[in-house]
Amino acid sequence: MNERDDATSLEAQAFDLLDAARESGTDKHDAALTEFAARSPAHAHALDQATRLALASRALSERAQGADPSLALRLDLVRIRLGEQPLAVSAAAIVTLALAVGLLFPNFRSPAEPVAAAPIEVPAAPPRIYTSPRRGQRQVELEDGSQVWLGWNSRLETRLDVGRREVTLARGIAAFDVTHDPARPFIVNALGTQTTVTGTEFVVDAQQRDHVEVAVLEGSVNVLSTDAQAVDLEAGDAVSTREGAFRPVTRRAADEVTAWREGMLIFRQRPIHNALSTLEPYLDRDLDLREIADHPGRITGVFFVEQADEALITILEAHRIEANFTAGGQIRLRRASR
C-alpha cells in the first residue's frame, strides 16, 4: 500500500468515527476520536480533513434548503460524488466544496477554523547606488516599484529587504513617489535627518552641506532630526534642518517644490539667504553667505538652472549685494556699502 492509500484509509476511518459520534452523541465516541488523533500526526491530519469535509457538506445541505431546483440539483451532485468516494478524492472534494460555497453562497463562512496563510516573503534586494551627472537629472525605479527622480549631481544608496526599505541621499536632491506598503516603512536618510513614510510623494533636498529640507506633495511623512526631535508633515508642508535643529514648518506650493525637475527655480517671497542657498548647487562656485544671513530682502521670480550665473547677477544687483572671490575660490557675498 502506498502513502496515498494509507492516507485514504486513515481518512475513511476518521470519517466512520465522526459518523458514529454524530449518531450516538456519547462520551465514548468522543474519547475514540481523541484517541485516534493522538496516534500520530497522520491520524490527526486525517481527522482534521474528515472534520472539515463533514462540516462543509453539512453546511451546504442546510443552505440548500429553499434553493431553486437547479441549485439544489447541483448541490445533490456534489453530495452524491462525495458519497460515492467520500475520501479517496478528499482533496479534490474539498476544492469542489470550496468552489461551490464561494460561487453559490458568497456570504458563507465555514465554521471550521481557517488555516493561516503562509506569510509572503519579499526577497531582499542587493544594495544599489544611483547617481546623476553634474549638470543633469535621472529617473530610476527601485525594486519595490517606487519612483525616484534625482536632481543635478545627486547620489542615492538603497537597501530594500523583508522588514523595511531604507535609502540614503548622500548628496543632491530627490523626489520620491513611494509604493504604499504599511508593513515595510520607507526611510530616507540625508545628512543625519531621517524621513519615514509608508507610501507617498515628497522631496528631500540635501544639496547644502549643513542644510536639509523635506517638502510633502501628497500624504504625510515623519521627519526626525539629528537631535532626536520629530515632526509630522502633511501635503503642502515643508521643514528644514540646519546643524541638526528644525526650523519652523512652512507652506510650499507643489510647483515651487518640484520646479527643478523642469529646469527652473520658482521663488515666492523667498528670503534672500534661502533663495541663494537654493541657487548655489547650480553655480560653478560655492557661495559664502555668512555676511548676508540676516538680509531682510525677499525674492519673487522664475529662474532657469542652466542660467544660474545670470540669475545670481540679477539677484545681487536688485538687492545691492557685493560679490568678491575668496582665496579658496568661493564667492563671498556682503551688503554693498552706501
Side-chain angles (χ1 to χ4, degrees):
M1 181 178 294
N2 58 35
E3 293 183 1
R4 182 172 180 178
D5 291 336
D6 287 342
T8 300
S9 175
L10 289 177
E11 290 175 353
Q13 296 175 43
F15 203 81
D16 290 340
L17 287 173
L18 285 172
D19 272 347
R22 178 175 56 82
E23 292 176 359
S24 67
T26 63
D27 293 339
K28 175 182 176 181
H29 286 93
D30 290 342
L33 289 172
T34 302
E35 187 273 333
F36 180 86
R39 292 182 189 176
S40 72
H43 284 75
H45 179 72
L47 181 59
D48 179 69
Q49 292 287 82
T51 302
R52 292 176 186 277
L53 187 59
L55 288 171
S57 180
R58 186 185 310 166
L60 283 173
S61 298
E62 293 172 353
R63 296 183 73 87
Q65 300 298 321
D68 64 77
S70 62
L71 178 58
L73 176 60
R74 292 170 67 185
L75 296 177
D76 285 341
L77 290 175
V78 172
R79 288 196 295 273
I80 289 171
R81 181 183 178 190
L82 295 176
E84 291 174 348
Q85 300 182 21
L87 294 164
V89 291
S90 59
I94 290 175
V95 171
T96 302
L97 283 169
L99 290 174
V101 171
L103 295 175
L104 304 179
F105 304 109
N107 296 322
F108 172 71
R109 295 291 182 271
S110 171
E113 183 178 348
V115 179
I120 298 176
E121 295 188 1
V122 180
R128 296 183 183 275
I129 296 176
Y130 302 95
T131 61
S132 59
R134 171 67 182 83
R135 298 180 67 84
Q137 303 184 25
R138 180 183 180 187
Q139 286 182 272
V140 297
E141 179 174 335
L142 305 185
E143 292 85 348
D144 69 333
S146 297
Q147 303 290 326
V148 183
W149 190 309
L150 296 175
W152 282 24
N153 194 30
S154 299
R155 177 186 173 95
L156 185 74
E157 302 167 5
T158 70
R159 182 180 294 275
L160 281 66
D161 57 32
V162 176
R164 67 178 183 175
R165 302 166 287 174
E166 187 164 4
V167 305
T168 297
L169 184 61
R171 67 170 183 265
I173 185 171
F176 297 88
D177 185 354
V178 177
T179 300
H180 188 68
D181 186 351
R184 290 198 301 160
F186 190 99
I187 300 171
V188 180
N189 297 300
L191 304 181
T193 298
Q194 188 177 87
T195 304
T196 303
V197 306
T198 55
T200 191
E201 294 184 44
F202 60 103
V203 173
V204 178
D205 184 348
Q207 296 179 103
Q208 305 299 310
R209 292 177 296 277
D210 61 348
H211 173 86
V212 176
E213 182 180 76
V214 179
V216 184
L217 301 174
E218 289 187 7
S220 61
V221 308
N222 175 267
V223 185
L224 183 67
S225 67
T226 55
D227 60 359
Q229 295 182 359
V231 62
D232 293 320
L233 303 179
E234 303 292 335
D237 288 342
V239 71
S240 61
T241 63
R242 185 174 295 277
E243 298 178 350
F246 280 129
R247 296 295 180 89
V249 175
T250 60
R251 297 291 293 176
R252 296 279 299 281
D255 62 345
E256 188 177 351
V257 172
T258 61
W260 56 270
R261 298 196 307 194
E262 306 300 328
M264 297 183 294
L265 297 176
I266 299 176
F267 300 137
R268 293 187 177 94
Q269 289 297 304
R270 189 82 68 90
I272 282 184
H273 185 281
N274 183 285
L276 292 177
S277 294
T278 302
L279 181 65
E280 183 179 13
Y282 305 100
L283 300 170
D284 291 328
R285 293 178 181 268
D286 293 335
L287 301 179
D288 182 347
L289 302 169
R290 290 174 295 178
E291 294 186 48
I292 63 166
D294 59 350
H295 196 296
R298 291 181 176 271
I299 298 175
T300 297
V302 178
F303 304 90
F304 293 93
V305 297
E306 291 283 359
Q307 301 170 2
D309 292 335
E310 290 85 346
L312 174 63
I313 294 172
T314 299
I315 293 173
L316 298 185
E317 290 179 347
H319 294 273
R320 296 181 54 79
I321 298 174
E322 293 181 350
N324 296 285
F325 290 106
T326 68
Q330 289 184 314
I331 301 177
R332 178 185 176 187
L333 302 182
R334 63 183 181 182
R335 297 191 197 188
S337 57
R338 295 184 179 276

